[in-house]
């Protein structure tokens, strides 16, 4: 592990802590001070000691990079659920009386047809780039026109096959450039767009790709350098190419990784570049043992729903029938928002239940669903939400629709023509907790995911006890089923119960 033994270390570390704090601060939703003022003050206070510290730290780090690198074993990606899912779903008989002996048909008047939605574009703006003698790279990032300055000395194509000397020389060349304005600008954009660390990684890779559009190794090395200088625990390894890796604060599935010092580092090249997210086939790579002392931040995927990708507003119309009445729900989205969600690797199941919707889709959906459940008992309201999620879109497994396991965030479930059990369960759980303030838990069966609801009024049927509370099973994939009815093939199966 790198250590620093120089006079003035406290000031230098304080400066670097400021940088890491700004990286974390970029994930906070709002601050009354402008980003430009914050960055200007930070730059003025820390510039000299910060540069001195970087020089010393870089010298030590380059020494590590020039030493022999150790082999590490690339592990096969882990899968979250390997049990096959039902291809054909059973349908429950239509029940006129719910299990709680309360009529499903209510006395609400015929709904007024939903008018077309007017979807305003995101109002987020990026502070214009200040005039500079440096050139700038311009690129599109999920609908936003991005401009980032750079020093021409920052650009040095990596030549030859990857090895420790080549990587050390590349770092040294980049460290001698005037890279600080580039790092500051990337952090500023992260703050203003409320980017998660995953999105920050993508932003950095998009900038690097603009400078190296056809050179994967140079792009990966530049991304690594900028992420480390931004305070992230990024790392490179090499076999026949440069691998960019980062640890995460939660498990990541479907992605190759290796373990170093009891920490998992996930390979990110394919996750960033390959739509089908296929892992590397190589079983071994080489990496350095040291760590850049100021780079400690792990990759975090929250807030997944705060970033509002910009694009032409579109609307998907969904219909479902309940109590002899047809209802229509319009869902606003942008192609860029769907592309961003699709870029995320597969995360733990609970992450999709927690995610929610982007602000415009959330407001539109809740505004349309509230009149359908207002004045109804909890059981009737839950059954209506179940019918919406069960029947407004068709069913296909991920293998059928995408050809690989692909958990969907709620907006993706509302967007894609098909969805399967965990996708519907996440959407239903979020709707039930948000609209009805009822506690919901995840029921994770082998090859199937459902939910259970803690009603505050009487409800009968299949149920479980968890955490001292009584939950009634509600299956968003079992078509026509109401609260208290579970799929017959899982009646004798004990699920893993998880709160979120």
């Amino acid at each position: 592990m790198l250590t620093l033994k120089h006079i003035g270390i406290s000031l230098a570390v304080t400066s670097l802590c400021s940088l890491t704090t700004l990286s974390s601060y970029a994930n906070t939703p709002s601050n009354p001070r402008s980003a430009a003022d914050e960055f200007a003050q930070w730059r003025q206070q820390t510039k000299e000691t910060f540069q001195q510290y970087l020089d010393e730290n870089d010298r030590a780090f380059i020494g590590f990079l020039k030493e022999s690198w150790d082999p590490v074993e690339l592990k096969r990606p882990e899968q979250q659920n390997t049990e096959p899912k039902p291809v054909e779903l059973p349908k429950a008989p239509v029940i006129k009386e719910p299990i709680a002996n309360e009529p499903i048909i209510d006395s609400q008047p015929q709904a007024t047809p939903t008018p077309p939605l007017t979807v305003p574009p995101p109002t987020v703006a990026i502070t214009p780039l200040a005039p500079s003698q440096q050139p700038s790279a311009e690129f599109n990032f999920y609908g936003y026109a991005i401009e980032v300055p750079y020093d021409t000395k920052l650009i040095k194509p990596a030549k030859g096959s990857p090895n420790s000397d080549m990587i050390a020389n590349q770092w040294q060349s980049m460290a001698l450039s005037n890279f600080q304005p580039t790092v500051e600008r990337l952090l500023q954009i992260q703050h203003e767009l409320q980017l998660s660390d995953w999105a920050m990684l993508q932003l950095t890779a998009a900038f690097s790709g603009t400078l190296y559009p056809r050179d994967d190794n140079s792009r990966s090395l530049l991304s690594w350098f900028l992420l480390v200088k931004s305070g992230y625990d990024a790392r490179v390894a090499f076999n026949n190419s440069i691998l960019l890796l980062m640890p995460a604060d939660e498990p990541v599935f479907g992605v190759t990784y290796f373990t170093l010092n009891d920490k998992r580092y996930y390979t990110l090249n394919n996750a960033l570049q390959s739509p089908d997210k296929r892992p590397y086939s190589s079983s071994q790579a080489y990496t350095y043992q040291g760590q850049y002392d100021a780079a400690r931040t792990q990759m975090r995927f929250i807030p997944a729903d705060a970033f509002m990708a910009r694009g032409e507003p579109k609307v998907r119309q969904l219909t479902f029938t309940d109590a002899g009445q047809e209802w229509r729900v319009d869902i606003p989205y942008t192609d860029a928002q769907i592309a961003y969600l699709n870029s995320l690797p597969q995360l733990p199941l609970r992450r999709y239940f927690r995610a929610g919707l982007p602000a415009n889709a959330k407001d539109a959906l809740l505004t349309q669903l509230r009149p359908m459940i207002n004045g109804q008992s909890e059981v009737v309201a839950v059954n209506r939400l179940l019918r919406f999620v069960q029947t407004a879109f068709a069913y296909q497994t991920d293998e059928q629709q995408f050809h690989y396991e692909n958990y969907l965030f709620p907006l993706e479930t509302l967007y894609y023509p098909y969805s399967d059990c965990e996708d519907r369960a996440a959407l239903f759980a979020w709707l039930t907790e948000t609209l009805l303030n009822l506690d919901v838990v995840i029921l994770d069966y082998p090859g199937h995911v459902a939910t259970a609801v803690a009603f505050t009024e009487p409800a009968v049927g299949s149920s479980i006890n968890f955490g001292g509370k009584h939950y009634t099973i509600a299956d968003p994939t079992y078509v026509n089923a109401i609260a208290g009815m579970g799929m017959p093939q899982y009646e004798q199966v004990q699920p893993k119960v998880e709160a979120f």
Side-chain angles (χ1 to χ4, degrees):
M1 187 65 63
L2 289 181
T3 58
L4 296 175
K5 303 175 181 177
H6 302 284
I7 297 174
I9 183 68
S10 2
L11 282 176
V13 170
T14 301
S15 301
L16 279 162
C17 288
S18 299
L19 175 58
T20 305
T21 301
L22 284 168
S23 173
S24 302
Y25 177 72
N27 286 324
T28 61
S30 63
N31 191 288
R33 300 181 60 194
S34 73
D37 290 343
E38 291 163 355
F39 276 85
Q41 182 180 6
W42 168 71
R43 186 189 301 114
Q44 183 65 30
Q45 291 176 344
T46 65
K47 187 174 182 180
E48 292 183 3
T49 52
F50 187 45
Q51 182 60 59
Q52 179 183 357
Y53 175 78
L54 287 174
D55 290 343
E56 299 294 343
N57 204 25
D58 284 332
R59 291 191 191 102
F61 188 57
I62 291 167
F64 271 96
L65 297 179
K66 286 184 177 293
E67 294 177 357
S68 60
W69 289 27
D70 297 326
V72 287
E73 182 183 358
L74 290 174
K75 300 291 187 180
R76 294 177 63 86
E78 292 187 350
Q79 301 301 326
Q80 196 157 188
N81 193 336
T82 58
E83 295 290 334
K85 299 175 183 177
V87 176
E88 298 293 334
L89 293 183
K91 289 188 177 182
V94 177
I95 305 292
K96 293 185 178 179
E97 296 286 329
I99 290 178
N101 297 320
E102 185 172 357
I104 264 186
I105 299 177
D106 57 84
S107 59
Q108 294 289 329
Q110 186 73 20
T112 304
T114 305
L117 286 177
T118 301
V119 185
T123 57
V124 177
I126 299 174
T127 302
L129 187 63
S132 171
Q133 298 299 317
Q134 289 187 330
S136 61
E138 299 179 5
F139 57 96
N140 183 282
F141 184 72
Y142 293 112
Y144 291 90
I146 303 296
E147 190 176 4
V148 178
Y150 65 92
D151 182 1
T152 54
K153 294 180 181 179
L154 187 64
I155 308 173
K156 180 186 176 182
K159 297 181 180 179
S161 299
N163 57 55
S164 58
D165 284 339
M166 181 263 271
I167 294 172
N169 291 335
Q170 195 75 4
W171 179 279
Q172 179 173 310
S173 175
M174 293 184 289
L176 289 172
S177 71
N178 183 22
F179 61 84
Q180 287 88 350
T182 300
V183 172
E184 292 173 15
R185 178 64 171 173
L186 291 171
L187 287 169
Q188 179 184 21
I189 294 170
Q190 181 188 25
H191 168 65
E192 293 183 348
L193 294 185
Q194 299 186 56
L195 301 181
S196 67
D197 295 330
W198 170 257
M200 177 62 168
L201 166 65
Q202 289 194 302
L203 176 69
T204 305
F207 167 74
S208 301
T210 303
L211 300 184
Y212 294 112
R214 291 176 293 277
D215 186 345
D216 289 347
N217 283 342
S218 297
R219 177 172 59 232
S220 295
L221 288 170
L222 178 56
S223 297
W224 165 56
F225 176 82
L226 293 173
L227 288 166
V228 168
K229 292 298 186 180
S230 298
Y232 287 103
D233 183 10
R235 175 174 292 271
V236 292
F238 70 87
N239 40 41
N240 59 334
S241 62
I242 300 293
L243 308 181
L244 176 63
L245 306 104
M246 281 183 68
D249 67 343
E250 60 186 321
V252 178
F253 299 92
V255 178
T256 308
Y257 68 93
F258 65 71
T259 302
L260 184 67
N261 300 326
D262 298 323
K263 187 185 298 184
R264 284 189 179 184
Y265 285 85
Y266 295 95
T267 58
L268 302 173
N269 304 60
N270 276 17
L272 287 169
Q273 299 167 13
S274 301
D276 61 0
K277 304 172 185 173
R278 288 175 293 188
Y280 285 94
S281 58
S282 175
S283 60
Q284 192 178 72
Y286 294 85
T287 193
Y288 52 93
Q289 285 292 330
Q291 183 177 19
Y292 195 85
D293 198 51
R296 302 288 180 175
T297 301
Q298 298 186 76
M299 180 169 53
R300 297 155 296 186
F301 293 91
I302 56 174
D305 58 339
F307 171 49
M308 291 287 292
R310 186 186 296 273
E312 179 184 354
K314 297 183 178 180
V315 174
R316 185 187 182 194
Q317 292 185 355
L318 298 171
T319 60
F320 72 104
T321 300
D322 187 40
Q325 182 173 334
E326 183 175 284
W327 306 83
R328 192 186 95 194
V329 178
D330 292 345
I331 308 298
Y333 69 94
T334 65
D335 289 335
Q337 193 73 37
I338 299 299
Y340 168 67
L341 294 174
N342 183 57
S343 77
L344 288 153
Q346 189 185 140
L347 302 172
L349 182 62
R350 63 182 179 274
R351 173 64 62 208
Y352 300 83
F353 284 72
R354 294 175 183 172
L357 292 168
N360 59 344
K362 173 184 176 179
D363 293 343
L365 181 60
L366 297 182
T367 297
Q368 295 171 87
L369 289 179
R370 277 196 182 96
M372 303 180 192
I373 61 174
N374 280 347
Q376 305 301 310
S377 68
E378 291 176 354
V379 172
V380 171
V382 164
N383 287 336
R384 180 149 291 164
L385 294 178
L386 277 172
R387 190 60 54 86
F388 166 59
V389 177
Q390 289 167 354
T391 62
F393 17 78
Y395 176 88
Q396 277 191 1
T397 65
D398 290 332
E399 284 295 330
Q400 290 173 308
Q401 182 169 202
F402 302 107
H403 309 299
Y404 62 92
E405 190 67 19
N406 186 30
Y407 290 4
L408 300 181
F409 288 94
L411 183 64
E412 295 179 290
T413 300
L414 296 165
Y415 164 79
Y416 286 110
Y418 306 102
S419 55
D420 63 10
C421 54
E422 75 275 350
D423 312 323
R424 296 165 182 235
L427 173 61
F428 168 77
W430 179 79
L431 288 173
T432 301
E433 290 205 339
T434 304
L435 287 167
L436 301 174
N437 199 31
L438 297 176
D439 187 27
V440 182
V441 292
I442 306 168
L443 304 183
D444 190 358
Y445 298 93
H448 181 58
V449 176
T451 61
V453 179
F455 289 103
T456 63
E457 62 183 35
V460 297
S462 298
S463 61
I464 61 165
N465 291 315
F466 177 73
K469 297 175 71 173
H470 187 75
Y471 293 83
T472 301
I473 289 176
D475 195 326
T477 310
Y478 190 16
V479 178
N480 297 330
I482 59 178
M485 298 175 63
M487 281 192 190
Q489 61 264 48
Y490 296 104
E491 285 183 352
Q492 304 304 316
V493 180
Q494 181 64 36
K496 174 186 174 183
V497 184
E498 184 176 6
F500 62 94

